[in-house]
Amino acid sequence: PMTANVKIMFEVETLVNASPATVSRAGIIYVSETDLDWSPTVEGWIRKQPTFQQTILRNLFSKYMGASNPLDPGHCLDWMQRNTSQVMSCSRVGLTSALCDLFKGL
């Protein structure tokens, strides 16, 4: 078993080569980025924070990240797409999860 401080997130383009046994053992859930964007992930993280910080964090994400829908990735992610080149491709959910982990480390 993994310890509480270890998290693994696999991002795959398709599950074409995955067998049903692999999917069930790993507990893989496939959710398309068009079905679920980054805001539920961020909201779940915010709810785990102390109550007095939750409103502040929501306001910060609203101001600096912007909207979360398939057509509009938000201010920050839009800027990143236009002005940077990723070494390794990562989904919007993966990027915002990493941002939450960075906040947690502060």
Side-chain angles (χ1 to χ4, degrees):
M2 292 189 298
T3 59
N5 65 339
V6 176
K7 295 179 184 175
I8 297 176
M9 181 173 159
F10 295 99
E11 292 192 31
V12 296
E13 189 172 335
T14 66
L15 293 174
V16 172
N17 296 319
S19 70
T22 303
V23 172
S24 65
R25 284 189 192 115
I28 296 172
I29 299 172
Y30 178 75
V31 179
S32 171
E33 210 172 68
T34 57
D35 295 332
L36 183 68
D37 211 10
W38 58 264
S39 63
T41 304
V42 170
E43 183 59 30
W45 177 80
I46 289 173
R47 289 181 183 180
K48 292 178 185 175
Q49 304 314 305
T51 307
F52 70 94
Q53 292 179 353
Q54 291 180 9
T55 303
I56 296 166
L57 290 169
R58 278 189 192 94
N59 290 339
L60 286 171
F61 269 96
S62 176
K63 180 177 181 177
Y64 293 105
M65 292 297 291
S68 167
N69 61 59
L71 300 176
D72 181 13
H75 315 307
C76 182
L77 296 176
D78 180 52
W79 184 88
M80 285 176 59
Q81 286 175 345
R82 288 184 288 110
N83 297 296
T84 65
S85 58
Q86 292 182 352
V87 175
M88 187 173 80
S89 181
C90 187
S91 70
R92 298 191 302 219
V93 174
L95 290 170
T96 53
S97 292
L99 177 61
C100 291
D101 288 340
L102 287 171
F103 272 138
K104 186 177 175 181
L106 293 176

